[in-house]
């Protein structure tokens, strides 16, 4: 069964601080890994997408890393802002059914002033 | 969320009623995907449609649930005889091709069954 596990489930950080979210997956065969940001009451919005050959990808203050050998990914948020408060979802797709995405349950990040 | 429109945003139905959820994809996108999100859980794939065709409905319950994407108009997810367990957020995504790489999500419809 393809699974995507995220940790921590939630975290609280002070504005301006950094944080790192973790994602472990067992999805196989691997096609790509994405990180989405989902604000409360909204749909997920793509932050980064990485294929097997990519180790890191940045989108502004968001930097994602991928280790396809250990099947781990991380999302690093630098200099957090209040608007970063959201759920961050790790999503993996397989080459078998590339449209059938496997979603993690998300990490809820709360940034406090 | 470049243009995927879902309506209604919130829907309340009594047990036994029908729920119809609509999704208008990004203009030019012919691939639509429906997902369900239960509280504290990740999104789960339900069905993948192209114009006038159901490609994969393996994630959709066989009873009471149906989906369509007609040649004209929005994609519809229909739930007949709703039960409390159907209460969830239903998200639609669209993409220009089947790989879903450039998928855009709508804001979801939150269905509450009372």
């Amino acid at each position: 069964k393809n699974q995507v596990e995220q940790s921590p489930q939630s975290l609280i950080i002070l504005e301006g601080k950094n944080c790192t979210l973790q994602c472990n997956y067992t999805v196989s065969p691997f096609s790509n890994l994405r990180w989405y940001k989902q604000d409360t009451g909204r749909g997920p919005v793509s932050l980064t997408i990485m294929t097997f050959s990519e180790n890191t990808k940045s989108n502004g203050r968001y930097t994602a890393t991928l280790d396809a050998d250990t099947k781990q990914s991380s999302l690093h948020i630098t200099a957090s802002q209040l608007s970063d408060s959201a759920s961050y979802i790790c999503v993996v797709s397989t080459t078998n059914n590339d449209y059938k995405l496997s979603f993690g349950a998300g990490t809820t990040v709360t940034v406090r002033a | 969320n470049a243009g995927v429109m879902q309506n209604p945003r919130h829907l309340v139905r009594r047990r036994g009623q029908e729920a119809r959820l609509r999704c208008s994809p990004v203009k030019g996108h012919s691939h639509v995907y429906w997902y369900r999100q239960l509280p504290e859980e990740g999104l789960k794939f339900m069905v993948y449609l192209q114009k006038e065709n159901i490609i994969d409905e393996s994630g959709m319950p066989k009873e009471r649930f149906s989906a369509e994407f007609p040649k004209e108009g929005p994609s519809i997810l229909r739930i007949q005889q709703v039960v409390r367990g159907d209460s969830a957020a239903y998200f639609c995504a669209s993409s220009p091709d089947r790989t879903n790489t450039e998928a855009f999500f709508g804001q979801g419809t939150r269905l509450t069954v009372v």
Side-chain angles (χ1 to χ4, degrees):
Chain A
K1 181 180 178 182
N2 291 327
Q3 286 192 321
V4 179
E5 301 289 337
Q6 291 188 242
S7 62
Q9 186 174 7
S10 63
L11 66 92
I12 299 173
I13 57 174
L14 292 177
E15 188 177 14
K17 298 297 185 183
N18 305 334
C19 68
T20 300
L21 316 179
Q22 301 293 339
C23 174
N24 297 331
Y25 62 92
T26 60
V27 176
S28 181
F30 175 84
S31 176
N32 62 68
L33 184 146
R34 317 158 190 209
W35 283 93
Y36 283 86
K37 178 186 179 187
Q38 184 176 21
D39 292 312
T40 301
R42 310 293 288 261
V45 175
S46 179
L47 294 175
T48 64
I49 179 169
M50 291 180 290
T51 60
F52 185 89
S53 59
E54 296 176 291
N55 299 119
T56 185
K57 183 164 282 189
S58 291
N59 178 358
R61 294 179 296 100
Y62 301 103
T63 299
T65 65
L66 173 64
D67 185 334
D69 292 329
T70 61
K71 297 188 176 182
Q72 295 179 325
S73 175
S74 66
L75 180 69
H76 187 76
I77 305 175
T78 303
S80 60
Q81 300 177 359
L82 296 178
S83 60
D84 292 331
S85 295
S87 177
Y88 292 84
I89 305 172
C90 177
V91 184
V92 184
S93 72
T94 95
T95 53
N96 286 343
N97 291 310
D98 41 18
Y99 55 84
K100 195 178 284 185
L101 307 177
S102 295
F103 289 77
T107 293
T108 301
V109 174
T110 303
V111 181
R112 291 197 173 151
Chain B
N1 293 331
V4 177
M5 302 299 295
Q6 289 189 248
N7 66 81
R9 291 291 309 280
H10 301 275
L11 182 62
V12 179
R13 284 287 178 266
R14 295 186 184 278
R15 282 178 294 172
Q17 290 185 319
E18 178 180 288
R20 281 189 180 231
L21 288 61
R22 296 175 184 77
C23 169
S24 296
V26 171
K27 187 175 181 180
H29 285 188
S30 58
H31 300 255
V32 166
Y33 317 82
W34 284 92
Y35 299 89
R36 177 163 63 175
Q37 186 176 35
L38 295 171
E40 308 301 325
E41 294 187 17
L43 279 74
K44 296 287 195 298
F45 169 81
M46 297 183 73
V47 60
Y48 164 36
L49 310 108
Q50 291 182 32
K51 282 285 188 181
E52 300 184 272
N53 289 304
I54 297 175
I55 307 302
D56 183 345
E57 56 183 347
S58 60
M60 195 162 64
K62 290 181 170 36
E63 305 285 331
R64 304 187 296 107
F65 285 73
S66 62
E68 62 177 10
F69 189 15
K71 185 177 180 180
E72 302 291 337
S75 175
I76 305 288
L77 178 67
R78 182 183 178 202
I79 311 172
Q80 295 177 290
Q81 299 175 321
V82 296
V83 300
R84 287 228 171 99
D86 297 332
S87 296
Y90 292 83
F91 289 94
C92 165
S94 75
S95 71
D97 58 51
R98 62 164 280 141
T99 66
N100 214 342
T101 304
E102 296 182 43
F104 293 91
F105 283 82
Q107 296 192 46
T109 293
R110 275 147 191 83
L111 172 65
T112 302
V113 180
V114 297

